[in-house]
Amino acid sequence: MTATAHFTGDANPYGGGDPYADYRTADFPFTHLVDLADRRLGAGVIAANDEFFAERENLLKPEPAHFDPEHFGHKGKIMDGWETRRRRGVSAAQPHPVDEDHDWALVRLGAPGVVRGIVVDTAHFRGNYPQAVSVEAVSVPGSPSPEDLLAPDVKWTTLVPRTAVGGHAANGFPVDAAQRFTHLRVNQHPDGGIARLRVYGDVAPDPAWLTALGTFDLVALENGGRVEDASDRFYSPATNTIQPGRSRKMDDGWETRRRRDKGNDWIHYHLVEEAEIRAVEIDTAYLKGNSAGWASLSARGAGGGDWTEVLPRTRLQPDTAHRFVLPEAVRAAEVRIDIYPDGGISRLRLFGSLTGQGAARLSARHVELGG
């Protein structure tokens, strides 16, 4: 299946057993990017015109949608997603909804950014999914209310035109819009249910905010840091290490499989921009019998080149936040943490401030993206 595979039409009725056995999906080329609509980054579904059968907030749950065939409430079948009531026409002579009828939900992205791909997941909505979906986006500063976003003078950009989708499927859409967005409007035509929404892209932070902070976490997802590559993603993604807050459980960090060779595991990061790193925190929270034994940190500049060790190989303790003040500020645009021999860490924090050149490039990009 290709990256733009669309699965139209009903799925088969649930026949028992594993509800995901006949789930339709594909390998999309953008799912390695940050989910800008991740609740952990502060995303939220701030309004919807209808949520009669299932609440709008379910759209952004981080885990896959759950299905319980026996779970019913006083309104009907309880679904793990956002589901609206069935639309009707205006009269017995016109019982069907008109072409313009649709339901909508407003989503605040957790981190404003450039959207590269969207997945509208209709898992377990087999005969009650929307006939088609569309997605629009806008960039509005501050903390706009639903009324602000729905005002007639707000200009929305179409990211996904009205497109037929399938039930019980991951419907993926590549997006080509080189702009910075803060909010989405998700439309389902004419009605139905969506289990999950994923919005993959690149974080585009506000330079004015980072400048005001002065010293901040240079590698945090919410500030524009990202994972470039990792040696192993067997148990959990390396991106977890730069999520907000402390890890809440073992799989909320990064854990590798057990090595049986003489090598070691590593993660390669890009900072938000060129900066001077002054302090490092390596956290192994909830990793007790499987934390990394030792770790070292290396850095290099914006042009690449050789890695320079800035934190020598250091013993790590299980379930512990380790803090290091560097002897002198380290100028870098990329960093690499090596763990020995395997195991995991839950979070990496790199505290410092942007260089003049880094701040200038970040501001120029902000303007380029319409910020």
Side-chain angles (χ1 to χ4, degrees), residues 234-263:
F234 189 83
Y235 286 113
S236 46
T239 301
N240 281 354
T241 61
I242 50 177
Q243 290 279 7
R246 291 201 78 202
S247 175
R248 298 166 299 156
K249 52 183 180 175
M250 189 174 74
D251 66 351
D252 192 19
W254 173 60
E255 182 189 358
T256 72
R257 75 192 82 192
R258 300 187 188 213
R259 277 190 172 267
R260 302 307 187 195
D261 58 19
K262 300 301 181 182

Side-chain angles (χ1 to χ4, degrees), residues 17 32 56 174 182 207 218 220-221 224 256 270 274 286 328 362:
H32 66 286
R56 64 184 191 258
T182 61
L218 302 161
L221 274 180
T256 72
H270 277 268
E274 184 185 68
Y286 290 97
E328 57 184 30
L362 192 65

Side-chain angles (χ1 to χ4, degrees), residues 134-170:
S134 60
V135 182
E136 303 160 278
V138 71
S139 182
V140 179
S143 303
S145 68
E147 293 74 21
D148 295 330
L149 294 170
L150 296 172
D153 60 336
V154 173
K155 305 301 181 185
W156 293 83
T157 298
T158 299
L159 301 186
V160 178
R162 182 169 175 170
T163 306
V165 294
H168 196 44

Side-chain angles (χ1 to χ4, degrees), residues 130-315:
Q131 182 183 34
V133 300
S134 60
V135 182
E136 303 160 278
V138 71
S139 182
V140 179
S143 303
S145 68
E147 293 74 21
D148 295 330
L149 294 170
L150 296 172
D153 60 336
V154 173
K155 305 301 181 185
W156 293 83
T157 298
T158 299
L159 301 186
V160 178
R162 182 169 175 170
T163 306
V165 294
H168 196 44
N171 299 277
F173 305 93
V175 174
D176 183 15
Q179 299 178 56
R180 179 182 186 267
F181 296 113
T182 61
H183 294 78
L184 300 187
R185 175 172 167 147
V186 181
N187 306 301
Q188 46 180 340
H189 308 266
D191 54 37
I194 298 171
R196 296 289 188 268
L197 175 73
R198 304 295 186 232
V199 183
Y200 297 101
D202 304 317
V203 177
D206 182 353
W209 175 253
L210 297 183
T211 299
L213 292 179
T215 298
F216 59 92
D217 184 356
L218 302 161
V219 77
L221 274 180
E222 59 191 319
N223 294 333
R226 71 181 192 272
V227 169
E228 177 68 21
D229 199 3
S231 61
D232 188 291
R233 299 177 175 89
F234 189 83
Y235 286 113
S236 46
T239 301
N240 281 354
T241 61
I242 50 177
Q243 290 279 7
R246 291 201 78 202
S247 175
R248 298 166 299 156
K249 52 183 180 175
M250 189 174 74
D251 66 351
D252 192 19
W254 173 60
E255 182 189 358
T256 72
R257 75 192 82 192
R258 300 187 188 213
R259 277 190 172 267
R260 302 307 187 195
D261 58 19
K262 300 301 181 182
N264 73 283
D265 289 313
W266 49 266
I267 306 175
H268 174 191
Y269 302 90
H270 277 268
L271 308 184
V272 56
E273 249 298 347
E274 184 185 68
E276 291 189 338
I277 306 169
R278 298 184 179 87
V280 176
E281 181 178 293
I282 303 172
D283 196 350
T284 58
Y286 290 97
L287 295 164
K288 298 182 178 181
N290 51 355
S291 68
W294 294 263
S296 64
L297 193 73
S298 303
R300 66 184 183 187
D306 295 332
W307 294 98
T308 299
E309 187 176 75
V310 299
L311 183 70
R313 193 178 303 191
T314 303
R315 186 77 168 96

Side-chain angles (χ1 to χ4, degrees), residues 87-119:
R87 281 184 172 269
R88 299 297 187 226
V90 295
S91 67
Q94 296 177 301
H96 303 291
V98 298
D99 192 55
E100 294 77 19
D101 285 345
H102 68 278
D103 293 319
W104 52 265
L106 296 178
V107 177
R108 179 190 64 243
L109 298 179
V114 180
V115 179
R116 305 295 186 187
I118 294 174
V119 173

